[in-house]
């Protein structure tokens, strides 16, 4: 009797396989994300990867999955019902119900004006409660990118509590999963780590809310079936566009399905959603490549430059930043001398860093003055306008440093507004770098932060660039502004407050270049990049560290945004002494700048700098807007780091090669230049040398040769490096269409 009962239960479980009745497909040029609606109106995930055009098999497909082991892979998984995995959505409903089971109501698809972007909204409703969820997908055809965000609408009688509210959920099936993610800390950000996922959950997260990307980054490259390869294999890559706490979960279950949920970190962030209100999650950006990491990076870079990064077409100027050259110790003359040298070397902007403000509490170090944004009269008696004018007369743009979200306890502003400081309720605020964080959930603080930017811009009409720093994260969270029962909203309201300020700034100052600095490497994510032209990639300017930091950063974020500076030796962070050429060659793989005291440079070094800066101006459009082809990873054990940027028409390219380990004099590199056109001919020219020792300098090669055989410059000693410009040749002359796209646009 007992046995028959068990068999009946088993049969019921197996038979609970639903027939699919409808297919919803999101297609890009090469990819499909396919979901189905079952006859019971469940929305199931079916496929994300190479394009599949037919619907029929997805209608017929059966999963054979036993329902009592958990539901079939949902498109947006919820807590309750038969889901036992980390839910994308977890809610306590108005009546105390802990279950949410979403059913399909309808979906709409529309195409945006530029025809490249389609939007699909899938409308879902909870089976028992008046809770509505819209899954919103945008597909970017050419870029092969899909973004997802979610709207959660409460139509219940009372407030509901959101516990988990991730932006995306993706249950993937492969034979093995190799997660490539980033780790580090201040001054060693974005180090790549590959983990073969085993059963259970691996999460990437931040609970710091500010400077969230020092230790981990809200992005990943997931290689399917085999370890990550640059040119081969299937890779799913993702990045969250959110400047606060995040969590990305990779849960490998008993079906060997990898359930990915990603979005705002639920940590201490229960959100009370009032009736008739909607909660919007940030965008999760996803792509898939069957040409390894290279294809995935190029998709993300294209999408970011076309749709996310602020003001992508403005060429980011080369610059001299005052920080490592002068720190807090300067007067007018120090700065104008630096500007003279910057102009002489051919740089295009001077940025005055920390230390220019505070009078009652002068900012002569990290302990005082932060928050008092009045020009320090002792150091700069003629004010900012005098300096900015001086720069402009020298043919330079002028930029200035701000850290508007923070204050020193030793400042007029901190003494005037103790209620603006983030601190645990009833407790003392903790200091970090001797500073406190302002509570951006408070609209008064938002007004103040906006006014800091606005008033600084008013100091001179010649300010073209703001370096927006943020040198601490959240500790002992708490807001005086938010009520006791809304303290868990703090993390989200802080970021929303920050975005409100960014919006106001962008309305009033659409052209000014704003760098997301955040202690270097602290806000490297696509939420911040919607408002910023660039990031300060790391406070570590040491070139060997930068090889790893920039390699990691540019796996997800394009070189257009990564500030990369030549600094003095011994390096201030690592003590390492490296050749100036190596430092320039490496800095030229991003947005080139300098950060040192030019008067400490020899005439010879200044001449070299002049040459390298002039060369950079010739190739930077390819670095900023071209396709990135990585040749040697600094992790691959060859001792080389090498990469190539090629313009979209494959007419021009620039190759960088670095020897980072002793080669034993017997080994030479073989840089195969994937990404060129096999049917074109190219002329190669070595840059940043007065005389090249590479036999291929000024030689013409077929694309086939460069792709299949590659180049073998002599880079044998540690810190040997080379930069090679490559240009299409037609009838022995440079091709007619090789003009710089930036010149063509008058930039
Ligand atoms: C941290 C930044 O990343 C540095 O570049 C510099 O601006 C300092 N802060 C100034 O305090």
């Amino acid at each position: 009797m007992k046995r028959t009962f068990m068999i009946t239960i088993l049969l019921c479980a197996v038979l609970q396989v639903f027939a699919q009745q409808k297919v919803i497909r999101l297609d890009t040029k090469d990819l499909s994300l396919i979901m189905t609606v079952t006859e019971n109106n469940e929305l199931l995930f079916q496929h994300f990867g190479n394009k599949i055009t037919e619907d029929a098999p997805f209608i017929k497909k059966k999963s054979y999955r036993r329902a009592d082991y958990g539901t079939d892979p949902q498109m947006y998984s919820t807590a309750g019902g038969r889901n036992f995995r980390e839910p994308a959505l977890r809610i306590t409903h108005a009546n105390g119900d802990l279950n949410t089971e979403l059913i399909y109501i309808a979906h709409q698809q529309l195409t945006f004006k530029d025809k490249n972007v389609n939007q699909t909204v899938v409308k879902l409703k909870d089976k028992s409660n008046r809770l509505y969820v819209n899954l919103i997908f945008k597909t970017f055809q050419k870029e092969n990118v899909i973004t997802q965000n979610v709207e959660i609408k409460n139509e219940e009688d009372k407030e509901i509590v959101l516990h988990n509210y991730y932006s995306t959920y993706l249950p993937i099936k492969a034979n093995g999963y190799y997660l490539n993610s980033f780790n580090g800390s201040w001054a060693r950000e974005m180090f790549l780590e590959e983990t073969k996922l085993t059963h259970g959950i691996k999460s990437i997260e931040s609970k710091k809310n500010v400077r969230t990307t020092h230790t981990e980054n809200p992005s990943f490259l997931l290689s399917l079936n085999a370890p990550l390869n640059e040119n081969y294999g299937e890779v799913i890559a993702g990045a969250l566009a959110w400047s606060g706490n995040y969590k990305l979960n990779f849960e490998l279950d008993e079906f060997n399905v990898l359930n990915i949920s990603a979005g705002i970190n639920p940590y201490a962030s229960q959100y009370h959603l009032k009736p008739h209100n909607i909660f919007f999650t940030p965008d999760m950006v996803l792509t898939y490549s069957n040409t390894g990491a290279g294809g995935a990076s190029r998709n993300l870079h294209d999408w970011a430059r076309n749709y996310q990064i602020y003001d992508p077409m403005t060429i980011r100027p080369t610059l001299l930043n005052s920080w490592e050259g002068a720190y807090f110790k300067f007067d007018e003359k120090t700065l104008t001398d630096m500007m003279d040298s910057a102009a002489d070397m051919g740089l295009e902007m001077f940025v005055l860093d920390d230390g220019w403000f505070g009078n009652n509490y002068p900012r002569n170090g990290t302990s005082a003055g932060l928050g008092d944004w009045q020009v320090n009269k002792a150091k700069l008696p003629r004010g900012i306008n005098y300096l900015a004018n001086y720069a402009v007369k020298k043919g330079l743009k002028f930029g200035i440093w701000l850290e508007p979200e923070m204050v020193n306890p030793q400042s007029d502003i901190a003494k005037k507004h103790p209620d603006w400081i983030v601190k645990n309720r009833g407790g003392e605020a903790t200091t970090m770098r001797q500073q406190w964080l302002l509570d951006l959930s408070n609209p008064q603080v938002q007004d103040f932060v906006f006014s800091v930017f606005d008033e600084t811009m008013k100091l001179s009409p010649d300010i073209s660039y703001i370096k927006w720093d943020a040198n601490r994260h959240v500790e002992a969270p708490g807001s005086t502004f938010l009520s006791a029962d809304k303290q868990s909203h703090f993390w989200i309201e802080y970021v929303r407050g920050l975005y409100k300020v960014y919006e106001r700034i962008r309305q009033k100052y659409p052209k000014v270049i704003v760098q997301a600095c955040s202690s270097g490497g602290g806000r490297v994510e696509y939420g911040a990049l919607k408002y910023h032209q660039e990031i300060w990639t790391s406070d570590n300017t040491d070139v060997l560290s930068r090889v790893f930091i920039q390699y990691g950063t540019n796996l997800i974020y394009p070189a257009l945004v990564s500030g990369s500076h030549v600094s003095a030796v011994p390096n201030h962070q690592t003590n390492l002494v490296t050749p100036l050429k190596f430092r320039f060659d490496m800095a030229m793989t991003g947005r080139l700048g300098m950060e040192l005291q030019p008067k400490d440079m020899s005439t010879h070094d200044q001449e070299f700098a002049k040459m390298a800066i002039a060369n950079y101006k010739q190739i930077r459009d390819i670095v900023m807007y071209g396709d990135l082809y990585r040749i040697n990873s600094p992790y691959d054990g060859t001792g080389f780091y090498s990469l190539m940027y090629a313009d979209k028409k494959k007419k021009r390219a620039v190759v960088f090669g670095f020897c980072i380990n002793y080669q034993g004099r017997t080994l030479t590199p073989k840089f195969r230049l994937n990404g060129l056109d096999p049917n074109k001919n190219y002329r190669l020219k070595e840059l940043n040398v007065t005389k090249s020792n590479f036999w291929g300098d000024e030689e013409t090669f077929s694309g086939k040769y460069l792709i299949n055989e590659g180049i073998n410059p002599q880079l044998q000693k540690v810190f040997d490096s080379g930069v090679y410009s490559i240009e299409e040749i037609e009838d022995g002359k440079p091709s007619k269409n090789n003009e710089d796209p930036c010149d063509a646009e008058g930039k």
Side-chain angles (χ1 to χ4, degrees):
M1 171 69 189
K2 223 175 173 186
R3 219 171 143 244
T4 334
F5 178 68
M6 278 304 293
I7 290 170
T8 320
I9 290 189
L10 261 177
L11 267 177
C12 289
V14 173
L15 288 177
Q16 242 185 328
V17 170
F18 302 127
Q20 322 294 328
Q21 57 162 8
K22 195 180 286 172
V23 171
I24 305 174
R25 53 169 50 258
L26 314 178
D27 290 330
T28 67
K29 183 164 67 65
D30 306 312
L31 311 185
S32 300
L33 196 165
I34 296 178
M35 56 196 110
T36 52
V37 182
T38 69
E39 62 193 9
N40 286 4
N41 287 328
E42 268 194 277
L43 184 69
L44 300 184
F45 168 87
Q46 297 292 348
H47 168 82
F48 178 48
N50 284 326
K51 196 163 190 167
I52 300 176
T53 46
E54 69 262 55
D55 287 354
F58 290 103
I59 298 274
K60 291 187 188 143
K61 187 176 166 190
K62 291 197 170 47
S63 75
Y64 310 115
R65 189 157 162 167
R66 280 185 44 172
D68 58 341
Y69 283 178
T71 55
D72 273 336
Q74 294 177 329
M75 198 54 223
Y76 191 61
S77 84
T78 53
R82 276 188 142 154
N83 177 32
F84 310 117
R85 285 159 210 93
E86 182 64 16
L89 183 66
R90 185 163 79 82
I91 294 176
T92 304
H93 292 279
N95 60 5
D97 187 3
L98 302 177
N99 293 273
T100 304
E101 290 182 84
L102 297 175
I103 51 170
Y104 168 88
I105 305 176
H107 74 279
Q108 291 166 343
Q109 296 191 296
L110 58 95
T111 304
F112 284 90
K113 251 210 237 129
D114 77 353
K115 298 265 192 303
N116 189 49
V117 189
N118 297 325
Q119 179 175 281
T120 302
V121 180
V122 185
K123 300 182 177 216
L124 306 169
K125 182 193 173 298
D126 183 34
K127 266 187 194 163
S128 333
N129 300 291
R130 289 202 306 281
L131 184 273
Y132 295 85
V133 173
N134 288 345
L135 307 184
I136 302 170
F137 302 90
K138 287 203 183 93
T139 49
F140 299 83
Q141 301 300 307
K142 279 197 311 275
E143 297 78 9
N144 287 315
V145 161
I146 299 180
T147 61
Q148 183 183 355
N149 76 310
V150 178
E151 290 175 5
I152 303 159
K153 187 167 187 198
N154 177 15
E155 289 296 349
E156 300 180 23
D157 300 336
K158 291 193 223 127
E159 205 168 86
I160 61 171
V161 183
L162 309 183
H163 303 278
N164 287 17
Y165 32 86
Y166 287 106
S167 298
T168 206
Y169 185 77
L170 213 52
I172 300 293
K173 181 101 197 223
N175 293 328
Y177 307 93
Y178 296 81
L179 178 67
N180 286 261
S181 58
F182 303 96
N183 74 92
S185 62
W186 172 78
R188 61 172 188 88
E189 301 82 359
M190 295 298 279
F191 276 69
L192 186 67
E193 205 164 41
E194 180 163 89
T195 314
K196 178 160 179 8
L197 294 174
T198 53
H199 292 90
I201 299 193
K202 155 99 183 164
S203 299
I204 298 166
E205 64 174 327
S206 168
K207 299 186 184 108
K208 294 181 169 164
N209 222 48
V210 178
R211 302 200 310 177
T212 56
T213 59
H214 275 158
T215 43
E216 297 177 61
N217 192 273
S219 62
F220 66 91
L221 294 140
L222 178 74
S223 182
L224 305 180
N225 308 315
L228 188 70
N229 179 284
E230 183 56 30
N231 300 310
Y232 310 103
E234 295 185 82
V235 176
I236 292 174
L240 182 73
W242 178 246
S243 307
N245 290 349
Y246 57 80
K247 192 163 187 180
L248 286 68
N249 305 300
F250 301 84
E251 180 177 17
L252 186 55
D253 69 16
E254 65 273 44
F255 299 96
N256 282 346
V257 168
L258 184 70
N259 303 279
I260 306 172
S261 45
I264 295 177
N265 197 335
Y267 167 73
S269 299
Q270 306 91 286
Y271 198 90
H272 300 257
L273 191 65
K274 291 202 179 98
H276 315 304
N277 279 16
I278 303 178
F279 184 92
F280 299 87
T281 76
D283 282 341
M284 182 70 194
V285 186
L286 294 164
T287 190
Y288 164 93
S289 144
N290 56 18
T291 52
S297 298
R298 288 187 289 277
N299 289 351
L300 289 178
H301 294 174
D302 282 344
W303 168 82
R305 284 183 298 232
N306 294 340
Y307 293 99
Q308 189 72 2
I309 293 166
Y310 191 79
D311 184 21
M313 287 317 288
T314 294
I315 282 274
R316 282 55 173 154
T318 55
L319 59 88
L320 175 67
N321 182 292
S322 68
W323 182 240
E324 287 196 18
Y327 292 108
F328 292 104
K329 223 168 160 210
F330 55 80
D331 57 18
E332 273 177 358
K333 173 95 168 63
T334 325
L335 302 178
T336 52
D337 284 355
M338 286 176 107
M339 291 187 219
D340 291 346
S341 307
D344 278 356
M345 288 188 287
L347 293 168
E348 296 156 308
M349 181 157 68
F350 177 76
V351 179
L352 170 56
D353 211 284
D354 199 351
W356 59 267
F357 49 89
N359 288 300
N360 286 343
Y361 298 97
R363 180 74 172 170
N364 291 327
T366 53
S367 65
L370 193 61
D372 297 346
W373 298 103
Q374 298 78 34
V375 184
N376 180 295
K377 293 196 182 105
K379 282 184 189 171
L380 305 174
R382 282 177 280 190
I384 295 301
N385 195 35
Y386 166 76
L387 293 172
N389 274 181
Y390 190 95
V392 168
K393 278 191 204 127
K394 282 269 155 190
L396 297 169
K397 293 179 192 301
F398 184 81
I400 193 162
W401 180 93
L402 285 179
E403 191 176 4
E405 293 158 78
M406 319 259 168
V407 296
N408 282 128
Q410 294 304 314
S411 66
D412 290 330
I413 195 82
K415 295 192 190 300
K416 197 165 157 204
H417 294 287
D419 52 321
W420 285 5
I421 311 300
V422 173
K423 57 174 178 290
N424 53 343
R425 288 161 76 86
E428 285 291 304
T430 61
T431 53
M432 187 182 300
R433 206 193 190 214
Q434 309 187 66
Q435 61 198 53
W436 287 335
L437 180 68
L438 294 177
D439 174 9
L440 263 172
S441 72
N442 182 339
Q444 282 182 358
V445 173
Q446 293 163 22
D447 287 345
F448 170 75
V449 173
F450 173 77
S451 77
V452 169
F453 194 102
D454 197 27
E455 293 304 317
T456 304
M457 288 301 295
K458 287 181 196 157
L459 292 175
S460 168
D462 291 326
I463 296 176
S464 328
Y465 177 102
I466 297 284
K467 175 174 173 176
W468 183 305
D469 213 342
N471 285 299
R472 65 161 291 169
H473 51 256
V474 178
E475 280 181 355
S479 161
T480 310
F481 171 74
L482 295 171
S483 58
D485 60 338
K486 297 285 159 30
Q487 290 297 301
S488 60
H489 291 201
F490 165 74
W491 307 97
I492 291 173
E493 296 306 340
Y494 185 98
V495 182
R496 287 181 176 164
L498 179 70
Y499 287 166
K500 278 184 197 154
V501 175
Y502 285 164
E503 290 286 344
R504 284 169 74 182
I505 287 171
R506 280 320 186 181
Q507 274 203 355
K508 188 155 180 193
Y509 299 104
K511 288 264 183 273
V512 68
I513 298 178
V514 188
Q515 181 192 67
C517 168
S518 210
S519 293
R523 269 189 185 140
V524 181
E525 46 79 27
Y526 280 126
L529 279 167
K530 193 173 164 203
Y531 303 97
H532 295 82
Q533 281 92 339
E534 63 172 37
I535 49 154
W536 178 222
T537 316
S538 174
D539 266 4
N540 187 345
T541 55
D542 171 75
V543 67
L544 195 52
S545 305
R546 278 300 183 119
V547 163
F548 292 89
I549 293 169
Q550 288 181 209
Y551 172 82
T553 304
N554 298 145
L555 275 162
I556 305 290
Y557 309 95
L560 172 71
V561 303
S562 37
S564 180
H565 295 178
V566 173
S567 60
V569 289
N571 180 269
H572 294 192
Q573 287 82 25
T574 65
N575 240 359
L576 197 70
V577 177
T578 50
L580 186 66
K581 173 172 160 54
F582 194 91
R583 282 176 274 150
F584 259 103
D585 289 357
M586 183 58 208
M588 283 168 65
T589 66
R591 191 275 290 134
L592 172 71
M594 293 180 75
E595 186 158 340
L596 43 64
Q597 174 49 272
K599 76 168 189 269
D600 295 341
M601 292 171 79
S602 66
T603 315
H604 175 268
D605 282 358
Q606 291 207 5
E607 286 307 314
F608 180 86
K610 245 185 226 178
M611 171 178 66
I613 292 162
N615 286 335
Y616 178 71
K617 289 178 188 165
Q618 298 304 311
I619 52 105
R620 68 176 158 188
D621 62 299
I622 319 175
V623 173
M624 291 181 185
Y625 303 110
D627 286 332
L628 169 60
Y629 292 87
R630 289 173 291 260
I631 304 166
N632 285 104
S633 149
Y635 295 93
D636 69 11
T638 60
F640 296 110
Y641 172 46
S642 55
L643 62 160
M644 177 178 86
Y645 296 95
D647 79 343
K648 293 281 174 194
K649 293 183 182 158
K650 300 181 187 292
K651 286 174 171 293
R652 295 162 64 226
V654 54
V655 179
F656 296 89
F658 305 93
C659 179
I660 56 175
N661 259 330
Y662 177 52
Q663 298 299 310
R665 299 289 170 93
T666 51
L667 304 175
T668 46
K670 182 176 167 110
F671 296 151
R672 287 176 62 176
L673 308 185
N674 273 329
L676 294 179
D677 183 338
N679 300 316
K680 292 190 193 314
N681 289 316
Y682 295 97
R683 167 77 48 86
L684 182 147
K685 174 145 186 47
E686 181 166 7
L687 306 179
N688 293 355
V689 285
T690 37
K691 189 171 175 309
S692 172
N693 71 352
F694 175 40
W695 65 269
D697 187 42
E698 309 269 6
E699 294 287 334
T700 299
F701 299 92
S702 71
K704 281 195 188 75
Y705 177 89
L706 294 172
I707 292 167
N708 296 301
E709 179 55 27
I711 58 171
N712 65 339
Q714 194 182 7
L715 305 175
Q716 284 176 316
K717 295 187 195 157
V718 186
F719 304 135
D720 279 352
S721 61
V723 183
Y724 312 92
S725 121
I726 287 176
E727 205 174 341
E728 185 190 1
I729 294 291
E730 277 172 342
D731 305 326
K733 292 190 211 116
S735 148
K736 271 189 238 109
N737 294 321
N738 288 0
E739 83 274 359
D740 177 343
C742 304
D743 286 349
E745 283 163 31
K747 297 230 166 73

